[in-house]
Amino acid sequence: MISDAPVLQQASEPAENVAAPSRLSRYARPLLGILLPLMLALGWELLVWLGWSNGRLVPPPSRIFATIAELARSGELVRHITATLWRVALGFAFGVVAGTLLGAISGYWSLARRLLDPTVQALRAIPSLAWVPLFILWLGIFETSKVVLIAVGVFFPVYLGVMGAVLSVDRKIVEVGRTFRLSGPAMIRRILLPAVLPAYVVSLRVGLGLGWMFVVAAELIGASEGLGYLLLDGQQLGKPAQILAAIVIFAILGKLTDWLIEVAAAPFLRWQDAFVRAKGA
Amino acid sequence: MLALDRVSKTYPNGVQALARFSAEIRQGEIVAIIGGSGCGKSTLLRAIAGLDRASSGTVTLDNESISSPHAKIGIIFQEPRLLPWLSVADNIGFGLADLPTAERRERVARALERVGLAEKAQAWPRELSGGQAQRVAIARALVPQPEVLLLDEPFSALDAFTRRDLQDHLLDLWADARPTLILVTHDVDEAVVLADRVLVMRPRPGRLFDQIEINLGRPRDRNSPLFENFKRSVLTSLDRSLDRSVPDRDATQGPGQAMWW
């Protein structure tokens, strides 16, 4: 997945064998993935252009991009994207901090886990959108309730991921730390943190995905700006191109932020015996 | 000197793994502990390492009581237990975090050279073979220069060739600073190749059954008749330790009395 050349150069014999063909496929592989959507888009564009469909309900790509361009020109696009990004960022930050802290505590101390975990699991069983009316009553219709809703969505996967990761740290490796008489903080820094990092990154990515899901829910409920508002606005005014434009931007932003986490974590995870990389990514 | 005085261990589930084990081990001595499965040899090693506390009895090193891991005691496990996120060099230097960088680097480099893995310094542990990984584990345990090095069936997961190679290598490394080696093994050959003295334990509960001095010079020829003789006496003792009709004898009175066969 992470195709950085330095790793391949550093790795020993098995990696070197695949280095040569992988250089070729490094550029070819992403192109392969684009092929199908590109064909579909071009095909639809052609159908509309030939007049076989009017493209009113399913606008062709050119009209979607025109909508995006228009929104961008008027400055609307930046305003909506900023609003949505800001909500996701805040909600994600709060959710990650809470999920990491509570997950680490539950993973580390079995007493805390017995006290805390059943309640958290019970809360997790509630569909998070069920909170919406309550949050609006408590926190108002504006930003706070939205951010809290996103934070709730992010919290659970991060909490579960961190707790599971701490619980599954190899006791044998911890014992190595003990034989070298690591203090509590040193044990956390030198053994536990690196050991849980791979699972933690995964839980962050899952959490971010949920964050994007919940920002849409929050913005559909009541917002005057944001990409979710664009969706709702498009529905109410009968502008499918605007809805699809918002969806495309969601896809781009979602992928982009996920990629950011991946890239930020990559230098710390180079040691991993990744199946994908072994095959020569 | 490492003194074990009536070390006993009873696990919370009531199983008595170790009963009144006493022995004195001289500085620089190589002792192999051998016995049937469940004879408490690993329990004993973990008590000496300070990883588990003995239920009663004491472990003392140079008059200092051991109840938690100690700087002078290193341990090598059956698996290499390298930290997968650290390079080979950083794994070896793991126990040297308190030293200044320059000295740490130098000692790690020397250790890498000593175990013949200098070109693997920047490799990840996953890129090593089983034997190489165990050599890194040995280097990691040795660079802090422990007085006592414990080995818990360190070569049992390796193939016969690699095992022999590492046994010789271990002796070679041992000769540098001559720490006390306490080796738990179930391989009679290994015990006789390495040890000055073989302690035979008997199971349920784990206790000392016999001790056999291996009066052979080094390097030892695995094919010499004398070597075979020692192997046979260890085997005989091992068989008797598993035979319930053979009564316990007091094997703690010193090596002279152990030559009873």
Side-chain angles (χ1 to χ4, degrees):
Chain A
M1 267 162 102
I2 309 150
S3 52
D4 39 353
V7 172
L8 287 174
Q9 280 159 13
Q10 248 188 28
S12 64
E13 309 85 57
E16 269 164 17
N17 290 339
V18 295
S22 86
R23 190 161 303 162
L24 247 173
S25 55
R26 243 176 78 190
Y27 302 103
R29 196 168 302 153
L31 289 182
L32 272 182
I34 289 173
L35 210 59
L36 182 67
L38 201 68
M39 296 282 282
L40 286 175
L42 281 179
W44 188 241
E45 187 76 48
L46 197 69
L47 283 181
V48 174
W49 184 70
L50 289 171
W52 293 2
S53 165
N54 60 21
R56 195 168 294 146
L57 278 178
V58 187
S62 60
R63 220 174 292 163
I64 297 171
F65 288 120
T67 311
I68 294 178
E70 198 183 309
L71 282 168
R73 241 193 324 274
S74 64
E76 288 281 283
L77 190 64
V78 176
R79 185 167 68 90
H80 292 305
I81 287 179
T82 315
T84 298
L85 267 182
W86 182 237
R87 285 169 191 146
V88 172
L90 273 182
F92 184 67
F94 285 125
V96 164
V97 169
T100 307
L101 280 179
L102 289 183
I105 290 170
S106 295
Y108 206 80
W109 287 295
S110 53
L111 178 65
R113 182 165 61 253
R114 289 199 188 103
L115 280 173
L116 199 68
D117 196 51
T119 311
V120 176
Q121 298 296 348
L123 288 176
R124 193 170 74 94
I126 303 170
S128 302
L129 292 184
W131 294 109
V132 169
L134 202 59
F135 285 166
I136 291 178
L137 262 185
W138 284 348
L139 307 166
I141 193 85
F142 299 109
E143 293 305 303
T144 319
S145 60
K146 293 187 180 59
V147 169
V148 169
L149 183 67
I150 296 165
V152 167
V154 173
F155 170 81
F156 289 107
V158 173
Y159 167 85
L160 277 181
V162 171
M163 186 180 75
V166 173
L167 279 176
S168 63
V169 170
D170 190 355
R171 183 190 56 81
K172 292 177 169 178
I173 294 264
V174 174
E175 218 161 55
V176 170
R178 282 185 60 208
T179 61
F180 285 108
R181 294 169 302 121
L182 295 189
S183 62
M187 185 71 99
I188 290 173
R189 185 172 55 83
R190 300 183 64 192
I191 304 268
L192 292 180
L193 277 186
V196 303
L197 194 63
Y200 186 53
V201 171
V202 171
S203 72
L204 285 185
R205 292 172 67 177
V206 174
L208 183 67
L210 279 169
W212 280 107
M213 208 162 107
F214 278 75
V215 80
V216 177
E219 290 180 343
L220 281 178
I221 285 151
S224 53
E225 58 181 2
L227 292 169
Y229 164 80
L230 271 187
L231 291 173
L232 197 64
D233 188 58
Q235 182 215 326
Q236 283 165 351
L237 301 181
K239 293 191 283 190
Q242 184 179 314
I243 298 178
L244 283 168
I247 287 176
V248 167
I249 293 167
F250 266 125
I252 294 172
L253 287 180
K255 181 71 195 155
L256 205 67
T257 46
D258 183 63
W259 176 78
L260 278 179
I261 294 184
E262 203 184 316
V263 166
F268 303 103
L269 296 179
R270 279 190 309 149
W271 54 271
Q272 261 198 310
D273 209 351
F275 170 69
V276 183
R277 199 173 317 151
K279 279 172 69 181
Chain B
M1 188 173 72
L2 182 73
L4 310 172
D5 185 21
R6 285 161 291 169
V7 178
S8 302
K9 176 79 185 180
T10 307
Y11 283 109
N13 61 9
V15 173
Q16 195 180 16
L18 202 57
R20 299 170 65 82
F21 187 103
S22 297
E24 293 195 338
I25 297 163
R26 298 186 309 275
Q27 178 61 37
E29 192 179 3
I30 303 181
V31 172
I33 300 173
I34 200 165
S37 63
C39 70
K41 32 189 211 293
S42 287
T43 307
L44 177 67
L45 209 67
R46 293 179 62 85
I48 302 173
L51 286 171
D52 286 336
R53 227 174 226 277
S55 309
S56 67
T58 53
V59 178
T60 47
L61 174 63
D62 303 335
N63 300 320
E64 201 180 335
S65 172
I66 305 292
S67 56
S68 60
H70 192 279
K72 288 183 185 169
I73 302 178
I75 183 164
I76 296 169
F77 300 97
Q78 185 175 352
E79 328 78 25
R81 299 199 188 182
L82 302 181
L83 305 178
W85 51 86
L86 295 181
S87 67
V88 165
D90 288 341
N91 260 294
I92 293 178
F94 189 78
L96 304 178
D98 300 337
L99 293 183
T101 318
E103 193 187 340
R104 183 172 66 230
R105 206 169 292 158
E106 198 214 293
R107 272 166 76 166
V108 168
R110 214 180 320 140
L112 272 165
E113 201 71 53
R114 243 0 227 108
V115 295
L117 288 172
E119 79 284 5
K120 293 278 184 194
Q122 293 313 314
W124 300 114
R126 66 177 157 90
E127 293 162 358
L128 302 179
S129 69
Q132 289 173 330
Q134 197 59 305
R135 269 192 275 167
V136 174
I138 294 173
R140 177 176 68 185
L142 280 175
V143 282
Q145 294 164 351
E147 273 182 31
V148 177
L149 183 61
L150 311 171
L151 303 102
D152 189 1
E153 304 190 14
F155 309 131
S156 62
L158 304 171
D159 62 88
F161 264 126
T162 316
R163 195 181 311 151
R164 276 191 174 203
D165 183 41
L166 280 188
Q167 286 162 356
D168 296 341
H169 206 90
L170 179 70
L171 282 178
D172 193 29
L173 292 171
W174 169 79
D176 286 352
R178 298 199 168 234
T180 307
L181 294 189
I182 303 176
L183 169 88
V184 162
T185 182
H186 54 235
D187 180 350
V188 174
D189 209 69
E190 180 167 281
V192 178
V193 166
L194 295 175
D196 298 317
R197 179 160 51 130
V198 177
L199 304 183
V200 181
M201 289 179 74
R202 88 186 305 188
R204 280 173 293 272
R207 57 211 191 273
L208 185 58
F209 176 69
D210 193 8
Q211 41 184 329
I212 299 160
E213 295 273 348
I214 310 290
N215 296 311
L216 276 175
R218 295 179 210 280
R220 290 176 181 169
D221 178 1
R222 288 169 212 255
N223 300 314
S224 74
L226 259 176
F227 188 88
E228 287 297 327
N229 269 346
F230 278 111
K231 250 174 85 174
R232 205 166 313 125
S233 37
V234 173
L235 269 174
T236 312
S237 174
L238 202 54
D239 282 344
R240 289 176 60 86
S241 80
L242 295 172
D243 184 349
R244 281 159 190 269
S245 64
V246 177
D248 270 5
R249 9 181 343 276
D250 188 5
T252 59
Q253 287 180 357
Q257 305 238 330
M259 311 283 283
W260 55 273
W261 62 85

